[in-house]
Amino acid sequence: MTKQRTRAATTRLGEGEHSIDRVQVTEERDAEGKVLYRRLAWTIRLPGNAKTTRKFTQGSPRSTDTAIRTKARATAKRMLEEHTRGGASDWTKRSSFAEFCEAVVRPDIAKAPGLSVTTRKAYSASLDLLIGKCDGLSHEATQHDKALGPKTIQAAAKILAIEACLQEIARLHGKETSRRARSVLTGWVFRDLRRHELLETNPIKGERIDLSSMARQREVASGGQTVALTRDEYNRVMDFLVDMDPSQGITAPKRGRWGLEHRVAMRRNMISVTLIQAGTGLRISEARQAWRGLVRDDAAHMAIDVDKAIAKGKVPRLAHVLDERTIWHIRELLLAHPEDPEDALIVGQAGDRTKVWELSKVRAEARALYDLVAEELGIAKLSMPGHLTHIWRATMNMQLMAVGIPPAARAQQLGHTEQVALDYYTSAMPVEMATEARAAIYAG
């Protein structure tokens, strides 16, 4: 007599119950009938949930029914424990990707041991771009229409969706920003999705995603050198910035965290940073981190002592302030807050002068300011995409210090080797040379 197969129970699962012992283990075979793997499809009803969650437990072709069911029970037990603690079992593949990132991934980044404050902020900023949160200072925020945030977890984990999102970030924010976003996606988001059993593998592992062709192109001329302003263009820009009303071109945002006053304050700070860079050749990272104790001002001459703490490569140098407009602007900044200690920043964040302005925010604000100046003065070079703040170092080397200042002295001013200065920007320059360079800026 043939033994009949036991029918699976059809009664409704109660809270905390699963169907592991109700269903049969099945076999997946190839075209030739060879068993590829054995699998158990089961469901579980978590406490407080009206619907059941479907799960699959897989074993090798030689796995016994008992072994597969034991593995499935371990999974069910873990899900119930995590649900009790408020863990992964609250999420499904149909859940919002953005909500998962905000509730799970961002807190993980915030509490992860061994990360510096700067690294945490960078990772969090990358997470913002992945889900489509952008302040829109460098472009319209609505341009992030390929962001993963509006999608479900299942849809966001598709290769084409991820590729479109990363390429969009590269186009709007640059290749390096997109690469960091990919690292956060694989190292933090996908890791949490796997821990919550919503993703089995990294969907883009080994995938080559073209970020270069979609990225903003750096502002280089055909010869490979960074674009520089002429002396006339430089002076026109400096005069414009000195006289500029910070509220020019600023409109009240329709929505967002910051209001009109804050945006005007950011524009004012960006003008200051730009004048400092244009008058010294400092890198953007150096200008935004410089503190007032580094300013050397003896009335006849001013310089900024670029400490190794902020200098690229940790190599300190003395950068002379070669433009009188920058000298007077720095003096005004310092006199505006005479009570500040020596370690206070020359230019800090708009909302908190004691904090260093985040590099991504500075670059976004620079983009908006440069586009405005380019349009007002008709200088197209300022509206070119890429690392625009390097235009001041190029101008300093190729125009303002090109006559009478030896390459070695120029390299010391900019903090480069002579060869780098010659190729791309063609201890301290003597004060006499700095004085000569200052005079050359205003020469006809």
Side-chain angles (χ1 to χ4, degrees), residues 35 41 56 107 115 152 158 180 182 220 303 327 336 347 416 441:
V35 177
F56 297 93
L115 296 181
T152 64
K158 302 295 184 182
R180 186 169 65 241
R182 176 171 180 161
V220 293
I327 290 176
V347 182
H416 273 134
I441 290 176

Side-chain angles (χ1 to χ4, degrees), residues 204-219:
I204 58 173
K205 183 177 182 179
E207 290 289 331
R208 182 179 178 83
I209 297 178
D210 178 18
L211 300 178
S212 299
S213 63
M214 300 294 293
R216 286 178 171 176
Q217 298 301 310
R218 186 173 180 175
E219 66 282 13

